[in-house]
mmCIF file of all heavy atoms in Angstrom:
data_model
loop_
_atom_site.group_PDB
_atom_site.id
_atom_site.type_symbol
_atom_site.label_atom_id
_atom_site.label_comp_id
_atom_site.label_asym_id
_atom_site.label_seq_id
_atom_site.Cartn_x
_atom_site.Cartn_y
_atom_site.Cartn_z
ATOM 1 N N ARG N 121 54.098 -74.875 56.380
ATOM 2 C CA ARG N 121 55.486 -75.086 56.792
ATOM 3 C C ARG N 121 55.588 -75.042 58.319
ATOM 4 O O ARG N 121 54.692 -74.531 58.975
ATOM 5 C CB ARG N 121 56.394 -73.997 56.193
ATOM 6 C CG ARG N 121 56.339 -73.877 54.670
ATOM 7 C CD ARG N 121 57.027 -75.040 53.977
ATOM 8 N NE ARG N 121 57.132 -74.882 52.559
ATOM 9 C CZ ARG N 121 56.276 -75.335 51.659
ATOM 10 N NH1 ARG N 121 55.188 -75.987 52.080
ATOM 11 N NH2 ARG N 121 56.461 -75.163 50.363
ATOM 12 N N PRO N 122 56.680 -75.550 58.903
ATOM 13 C CA PRO N 122 56.792 -75.537 60.369
ATOM 14 C C PRO N 122 56.829 -74.112 60.910
ATOM 15 O O PRO N 122 57.439 -73.200 60.327
ATOM 16 C CB PRO N 122 58.123 -76.235 60.635
ATOM 17 C CG PRO N 122 58.370 -77.075 59.431
ATOM 18 C CD PRO N 122 57.797 -76.284 58.272
ATOM 19 N N ALA N 123 56.204 -73.901 62.032
ATOM 20 C CA ALA N 123 56.191 -72.585 62.695
ATOM 21 C C ALA N 123 57.480 -72.374 63.479
ATOM 22 O O ALA N 123 58.154 -73.358 63.864
ATOM 23 C CB ALA N 123 54.979 -72.472 63.603
ATOM 24 N N ALA N 124 57.795 -71.141 63.766
ATOM 25 C CA ALA N 124 58.868 -70.837 64.685
ATOM 26 C C ALA N 124 58.398 -71.132 66.109
ATOM 27 O O ALA N 124 57.217 -71.160 66.394
ATOM 28 C CB ALA N 124 59.270 -69.369 64.568
ATOM 29 N N ALA N 125 59.362 -71.366 66.985
ATOM 30 C CA ALA N 125 59.028 -71.540 68.411
ATOM 31 C C ALA N 125 58.229 -70.355 68.898
ATOM 32 O O ALA N 125 58.534 -69.184 68.571
ATOM 33 C CB ALA N 125 60.298 -71.690 69.216
ATOM 34 N N ALA N 126 57.163 -70.593 69.662
ATOM 35 C CA ALA N 126 56.237 -69.523 70.050
ATOM 36 C C ALA N 126 56.889 -68.484 70.921
ATOM 37 O O ALA N 126 56.621 -67.275 70.790
ATOM 38 C CB ALA N 126 55.020 -70.142 70.769
ATOM 39 N N GLN N 127 57.779 -68.890 71.816
ATOM 40 C CA GLN N 127 58.433 -67.942 72.738
ATOM 41 C C GLN N 127 59.907 -68.253 72.812
ATOM 42 O O GLN N 127 60.393 -68.882 73.770
ATOM 43 C CB GLN N 127 57.791 -68.016 74.130
ATOM 44 C CG GLN N 127 56.338 -67.556 74.163
ATOM 45 C CD GLN N 127 55.731 -67.631 75.560
ATOM 46 O OE1 GLN N 127 55.967 -68.570 76.306
ATOM 47 N NE2 GLN N 127 54.971 -66.589 75.929
ATOM 48 N N PRO N 128 60.691 -67.801 71.818
ATOM 49 C CA PRO N 128 62.144 -68.046 71.865
ATOM 50 C C PRO N 128 62.753 -67.446 73.109
ATOM 51 O O PRO N 128 62.353 -66.354 73.566
ATOM 52 C CB PRO N 128 62.626 -67.325 70.592
ATOM 53 C CG PRO N 128 61.444 -67.197 69.737
ATOM 54 C CD PRO N 128 60.281 -67.026 70.665
ATOM 55 N N PRO N 129 63.755 -68.111 73.696
ATOM 56 C CA PRO N 129 64.389 -67.605 74.890
ATOM 57 C C PRO N 129 65.457 -66.550 74.639
ATOM 58 O O PRO N 129 66.447 -66.452 75.399
ATOM 59 C CB PRO N 129 65.007 -68.877 75.495
ATOM 60 C CG PRO N 129 65.328 -69.709 74.324
ATOM 61 C CD PRO N 129 64.235 -69.448 73.320
ATOM 62 N N PHE N 130 65.287 -65.742 73.622
ATOM 63 C CA PHE N 130 66.201 -64.662 73.254
ATOM 64 C C PHE N 130 65.419 -63.640 72.467
ATOM 65 O O PHE N 130 64.292 -63.902 72.006
ATOM 66 C CB PHE N 130 67.385 -65.202 72.416
ATOM 67 C CG PHE N 130 66.971 -66.148 71.320
ATOM 68 C CD1 PHE N 130 66.446 -65.714 70.120
ATOM 69 C CD2 PHE N 130 67.080 -67.532 71.528
ATOM 70 C CE1 PHE N 130 66.042 -66.605 69.114
ATOM 71 C CE2 PHE N 130 66.682 -68.437 70.531
ATOM 72 C CZ PHE N 130 66.162 -67.964 69.329
ATOM 73 N N ALA N 131 65.964 -62.466 72.312
ATOM 74 C CA ALA N 131 65.304 -61.387 71.582
ATOM 75 C C ALA N 131 65.344 -61.678 70.075
ATOM 76 O O ALA N 131 66.389 -62.092 69.540
ATOM 77 C CB ALA N 131 65.971 -60.033 71.861
ATOM 78 N N VAL N 132 64.203 -61.498 69.410
ATOM 79 C CA VAL N 132 64.124 -61.638 67.945
ATOM 80 C C VAL N 132 63.752 -60.293 67.392
ATOM 81 O O VAL N 132 62.665 -59.750 67.678
ATOM 82 C CB VAL N 132 63.065 -62.710 67.540
ATOM 83 C CG1 VAL N 132 63.011 -62.796 66.021
ATOM 84 C CG2 VAL N 132 63.460 -64.066 68.115
ATOM 85 N N GLU N 133 64.636 -59.719 66.611
ATOM 86 C CA GLU N 133 64.445 -58.372 66.041
ATOM 87 C C GLU N 133 64.142 -58.491 64.547
ATOM 88 O O GLU N 133 64.950 -58.970 63.766
ATOM 89 C CB GLU N 133 65.708 -57.535 66.250
ATOM 90 C CG GLU N 133 66.092 -57.375 67.711
ATOM 91 C CD GLU N 133 67.421 -56.681 67.920
ATOM 92 O OE1 GLU N 133 68.136 -56.462 66.924
ATOM 93 O OE2 GLU N 133 67.767 -56.393 69.074
ATOM 94 N N LEU N 134 62.921 -58.020 64.168
ATOM 95 C CA LEU N 134 62.462 -58.050 62.795
ATOM 96 C C LEU N 134 62.445 -56.615 62.233
ATOM 97 O O LEU N 134 62.241 -55.657 63.002
ATOM 98 C CB LEU N 134 61.066 -58.655 62.702
ATOM 99 C CG LEU N 134 60.932 -60.076 63.259
ATOM 100 C CD1 LEU N 134 59.468 -60.498 63.230
ATOM 101 C CD2 LEU N 134 61.803 -61.043 62.465
ATOM 102 N N PRO N 135 62.649 -56.445 60.956
ATOM 103 C CA PRO N 135 62.678 -55.084 60.383
ATOM 104 C C PRO N 135 61.282 -54.471 60.453
ATOM 105 O O PRO N 135 60.272 -55.130 60.162
ATOM 106 C CB PRO N 135 63.129 -55.324 58.949
ATOM 107 C CG PRO N 135 62.779 -56.743 58.651
ATOM 108 C CD PRO N 135 62.947 -57.465 59.941
ATOM 109 N N PRO N 136 61.174 -53.175 60.815
ATOM 110 C CA PRO N 136 59.871 -52.511 60.832
ATOM 111 C C PRO N 136 59.258 -52.336 59.451
ATOM 112 O O PRO N 136 58.051 -52.272 59.287
ATOM 113 C CB PRO N 136 60.167 -51.145 61.480
ATOM 114 C CG PRO N 136 61.630 -50.928 61.210
ATOM 115 C CD PRO N 136 62.262 -52.283 61.225
ATOM 116 N N ASP N 137 60.122 -52.261 58.448
ATOM 117 C CA ASP N 137 59.641 -52.095 57.072
ATOM 118 C C ASP N 137 60.252 -53.223 56.239
ATOM 119 O O ASP N 137 61.482 -53.319 56.102
ATOM 120 C CB ASP N 137 60.080 -50.733 56.531
ATOM 121 C CG ASP N 137 59.605 -50.498 55.099
ATOM 122 O OD1 ASP N 137 58.876 -51.365 54.557
ATOM 123 O OD2 ASP N 137 59.956 -49.450 54.513
ATOM 124 N N LEU N 138 59.394 -54.089 55.690
ATOM 125 C CA LEU N 138 59.875 -55.250 54.935
ATOM 126 C C LEU N 138 60.140 -54.925 53.466
ATOM 127 O O LEU N 138 60.528 -55.820 52.704
ATOM 128 C CB LEU N 138 58.871 -56.375 55.064
ATOM 129 C CG LEU N 138 58.634 -56.889 56.497
ATOM 130 C CD1 LEU N 138 57.621 -58.032 56.488
ATOM 131 C CD2 LEU N 138 59.948 -57.334 57.146
ATOM 132 N N ALA N 139 59.879 -53.690 53.053
ATOM 133 C CA ALA N 139 60.179 -53.303 51.675
ATOM 134 C C ALA N 139 61.655 -53.039 51.551
ATOM 135 O O ALA N 139 62.390 -52.865 52.518
ATOM 136 C CB ALA N 139 59.381 -52.055 51.294
ATOM 137 N N GLY N 140 62.125 -53.026 50.284
ATOM 138 C CA GLY N 140 63.547 -52.740 50.061
ATOM 139 C C GLY N 140 64.138 -53.655 49.030
ATOM 140 O O GLY N 140 63.438 -54.233 48.209
ATOM 141 N N ASN N 141 65.468 -53.785 49.074
ATOM 142 C CA ASN N 141 66.122 -54.598 48.058
ATOM 143 C C ASN N 141 66.074 -56.059 48.394
ATOM 144 O O ASN N 141 65.455 -56.464 49.398
ATOM 145 C CB ASN N 141 67.586 -54.116 47.887
ATOM 146 C CG ASN N 141 68.379 -54.219 49.170
ATOM 147 O OD1 ASN N 141 68.181 -55.157 49.950
ATOM 148 N ND2 ASN N 141 69.275 -53.290 49.423
ATOM 149 N N SER N 142 66.708 -56.889 47.592
ATOM 150 C CA SER N 142 66.602 -58.349 47.765
ATOM 151 C C SER N 142 67.748 -58.930 48.571
ATOM 152 O O SER N 142 67.954 -60.156 48.577
ATOM 153 C CB SER N 142 66.549 -59.022 46.374
ATOM 154 O OG SER N 142 67.735 -58.696 45.621
ATOM 155 N N ALA N 143 68.519 -58.073 49.236
ATOM 156 C CA ALA N 143 69.574 -58.607 50.137
ATOM 157 C C ALA N 143 68.976 -58.939 51.506
ATOM 158 O O ALA N 143 67.929 -58.419 51.871
ATOM 159 C CB ALA N 143 70.701 -57.569 50.258
ATOM 160 N N LEU N 144 69.645 -59.775 52.227
ATOM 161 C CA LEU N 144 69.198 -60.170 53.569
ATOM 162 C C LEU N 144 70.390 -60.236 54.497
ATOM 163 O O LEU N 144 71.441 -60.805 54.150
ATOM 164 C CB LEU N 144 68.516 -61.551 53.503
ATOM 165 C CG LEU N 144 68.170 -62.151 54.870
ATOM 166 C CD1 LEU N 144 67.048 -61.356 55.535
ATOM 167 C CD2 LEU N 144 67.728 -63.604 54.718
ATOM 168 N N LEU N 145 70.254 -59.621 55.687
ATOM 169 C CA LEU N 145 71.279 -59.717 56.725
ATOM 170 C C LEU N 145 70.706 -60.360 57.947
ATOM 171 O O LEU N 145 69.603 -60.007 58.408
ATOM 172 C CB LEU N 145 71.788 -58.326 57.053
ATOM 173 C CG LEU N 145 72.752 -58.256 58.273
ATOM 174 C CD1 LEU N 145 74.037 -59.027 57.958
ATOM 175 C CD2 LEU N 145 73.071 -56.810 58.634
ATOM 176 N N VAL N 146 71.394 -61.344 58.492
ATOM 177 C CA VAL N 146 71.010 -61.998 59.749
ATOM 178 C C VAL N 146 72.215 -61.912 60.694
ATOM 179 O O VAL N 146 73.341 -62.183 60.319
ATOM 180 C CB VAL N 146 70.667 -63.485 59.530
ATOM 181 C CG1 VAL N 146 70.295 -64.158 60.842
ATOM 182 C CG2 VAL N 146 69.548 -63.642 58.501
#
Side-chain angles (χ1 to χ4, degrees):
R121 304 288 187 266
Q127 295 182 317
F130 45 80
V132 179
E133 301 173 353
L134 303 174
D137 182 3
L138 299 180
N141 59 36
S142 58
L144 172 68
L145 172 65
V146 180

